[in-house]
Amino acid sequence: MPRSRNVALAVFVLMVPLWSSGCRKAPAEEFTLSDAIRALPGELQVAARTELREHCGSFSAPKLLGNDEISVEHLRAGQAVYQQQCAQCHGTTGDGNGPVGGFLYPRPRDYRKGIFKFTSTRYGSKPLRDDLVRTVRQGVAGTAMPSFKLLPQEQLDAVIDYVLVLTHRGELEEQIAAVADADGELAPEIVDDDLVPLILSRWAEARESIITPVTPEPEFTTERALLGRTAFLEKGCSKCHGDDGRAQTAEDPTKEDAWGNITRPADLTSGMLRGGRTPTDIYRRIHGGINGTAMPAFDQSLKDEPDTVWNMVAYVLYVTDRRRDGESPAPGYLRPYLPPTNDKP
Ligand code: HEC
Ligand code: HEC
């Protein structure tokens, strides 16, 4: 087994007892307010809390924003799955701050920003519901996010709807905090007429921004992988991912992501592609970028050369399989930080 996978496995095995053993801390049973809301004066905090309750319900009676058809019972069923299977990492409020969240790299998703990485939609767009379903079914390779492929369909549907409750609650909370801070007041009409429709329209728009490859999927030959390698070097991929895809670059490539965590470019040779390893998955990562991270979208710069995207897919498939094919390049970094240098005192 490749070393990097061993390490990832060891990290995972070490973590399992943390959240499944007897010392497990039961996740909290109420929602917490964000720092931005808590920084508001007292009466605005009360107003914000009232609006959040009105539109998103409470822990004991959750509500899906803008949707009165989904029953509280269904959402409570989703909550039961969530509290048992997800809250240890993602936190009761969905802030990514569950009891084990802080030990993980990458950190569990903080849903409250409404930003998701592994979407089939263009850069900056919301995910489709199906994207969330796929992530939860498959897990995220090379991270702590497990696969829930054995979860019965009904429970999966319920837990996804509950993740959407938490996500929309977080998005509304962020908007409310910004408006209350700027205006010094919070008029319920602004929430009803502006903020809620704005959030819902962005999710509805995602259905119109699905990435569909312009040219059909080609055969992935060695020649194509070599063309992909040339493009990888010419189009700037190697600036972040290194010439060989291991993300070992001279310059410090670490960046802060949208959630305020330090991240670094993926080691494409790790054999573990977080966003999935089908050619279409990889095509979407390159075409649409990865929301919230430094991975840019290449749809604009490559719009006149759709085959170049496929060539790069071929190259990514080639490098990601190098270990499986018997070559063993040293792994890239598992964590975002650079290794310690010797010139420190
Ligand atoms: C052991 C910790 C852990 C558990 C348990 C866990 N997750 Fe995650 N989850 C993560 C991590 C870590 C990530 C971030 C992966 C990344 O950024 O590459 C994540 C990411 C996600 C994402 C975001 C995907 C995207 O496209 O951005 C969703 C949605 C998600 N998890 C849902 C769930 C649900 C639903 C459950 C329970 C059924 C669950 N997770 C259980 C750790 C966990
Ligand atoms: C400015 C830096 C930067 C550039 C330029 C860049 N990437 Fe990335 N790339 C990243 C980062 C950061 C990630 C990891 C995102 C995450 O999951 O947190 C990433 C992730 C990826 C992934 C997903 C890996 C996975 O685990 O699924 C692929 C594929 C990829 N990049 C390919 C490319 C290709 C091909 C190019 C050039 C066309 C490119 N990248 C250019 C920073 C960059």
Side-chain angles (χ1 to χ4, degrees):
M1 193 183 279
R3 199 178 123 212
S4 64
R5 223 176 301 166
N6 266 337
V7 176
L9 197 65
V11 171
F12 191 74
V13 169
L14 279 171
M15 265 172 29
V16 168
L18 266 171
W19 85 79
S20 61
S21 74
C23 71
R24 171 181 180 153
K25 221 166 89 189
E29 299 215 331
E30 65 181 324
F31 297 144
T32 47
L33 292 172
S34 68
D35 293 345
I37 297 279
R38 274 184 287 176
L40 295 169
E43 73 277 16
L44 282 180
Q45 282 189 38
V46 174
R49 199 191 285 268
T50 308
E51 289 301 321
L52 282 173
R53 235 173 209 278
E54 159 89 22
H55 291 280
C56 307
S58 60
F59 183 83
S60 50
K63 226 165 121 176
L64 185 60
L65 186 71
N67 188 327
D68 293 330
E69 277 153 37
I70 293 198
S71 71
V72 174
E73 291 70 41
H74 172 80
L75 295 176
R76 289 279 289 179
Q79 181 181 64
V81 178
Y82 184 86
Q83 289 297 97
Q84 210 183 13
Q85 312 271 14
C86 325
Q88 291 297 315
C89 289
H90 290 281
T92 299
T93 313
D95 56 8
N97 251 337
V100 303
F103 299 99
L104 306 176
Y105 172 75
R107 291 286 301 267
R109 186 72 63 256
D110 173 354
Y111 308 130
R112 298 172 307 170
K113 281 198 173 297
I115 301 175
F116 291 88
K117 285 187 186 175
F118 307 117
T119 72
S120 55
T121 51
R122 283 196 287 274
Y123 190 75
S125 300
K126 298 294 175 188
L128 302 180
R129 194 175 191 286
D130 280 352
D131 292 330
L132 302 179
V133 170
R134 190 187 52 243
T135 299
V136 176
R137 277 246 177 271
Q138 294 183 355
V140 179
T143 80
M145 172 66 199
S147 144
F148 290 91
K149 57 169 177 287
L150 300 178
L151 207 61
Q153 189 63 40
E154 221 179 273
Q155 290 189 22
L156 183 82
D157 283 335
V159 81
I160 295 289
D161 286 330
Y162 189 67
V163 165
L164 287 169
V165 169
L166 298 176
T167 301
H168 292 333
R169 185 185 172 282
E171 292 175 302
L172 185 60
E173 186 176 42
E174 195 175 32
Q175 300 279 347
I176 284 179
V179 166
D181 188 41
D183 297 355
E185 60 171 9
L186 184 67
E189 305 81 66
I190 295 201
V191 180
D192 293 350
D193 302 342
D194 296 347
L195 305 187
V196 171
L198 176 74
I199 293 167
L200 295 176
S201 67
R202 286 188 186 154
W203 284 82
E205 276 159 21
R207 277 172 245 135
E208 263 86 69
S209 60
I210 300 169
I211 297 172
T212 323
V214 186
T215 49
E217 183 183 317
E219 207 185 315
F220 294 110
T221 57
T222 310
E223 291 72 44
R224 198 172 274 282
L226 286 173
L227 287 173
R229 183 173 186 278
T230 308
F232 191 83
L233 298 173
E234 280 172 2
K235 304 286 178 189
C237 317
S238 50
K239 260 190 253 152
C240 293
H241 291 287
D243 288 353
D244 60 1
R246 287 190 299 141
Q248 314 270 40
T249 51
E251 264 177 62
D252 178 357
T254 56
K255 291 251 161 39
E256 207 172 271
D257 65 18
W259 299 271
N261 301 317
I262 301 285
T263 61
R264 63 177 304 124
D267 169 4
L268 298 173
T269 71
S270 69
M272 295 172 290
L273 291 167
R274 293 182 187 171
R277 48 178 295 121
T278 71
T280 309
D281 290 332
I282 301 168
Y283 188 101
R284 285 176 171 154
R285 295 296 82 74
I286 300 171
H287 188 282
I290 302 184
N291 290 327
T293 78
M295 173 68 198
F298 285 86
D299 53 345
Q300 287 311 310
S301 54
L302 296 178
K303 77 171 173 309
D304 298 326
E305 35 184 329
D307 270 336
T308 305
V309 181
W310 284 124
N311 295 345
M312 289 197 278
V313 170
Y315 182 61
V316 171
L317 281 169
Y318 164 76
V319 290
T320 200
D321 275 339
R322 275 174 72 196
R323 289 195 183 81
R324 201 165 283 149
D325 291 344
E327 280 181 60
S328 33
Y333 304 125
L334 275 171
R335 293 186 151 259
Y337 331 104
L338 287 173
T341 49
N342 291 328
D343 52 23
K344 290 227 178 87

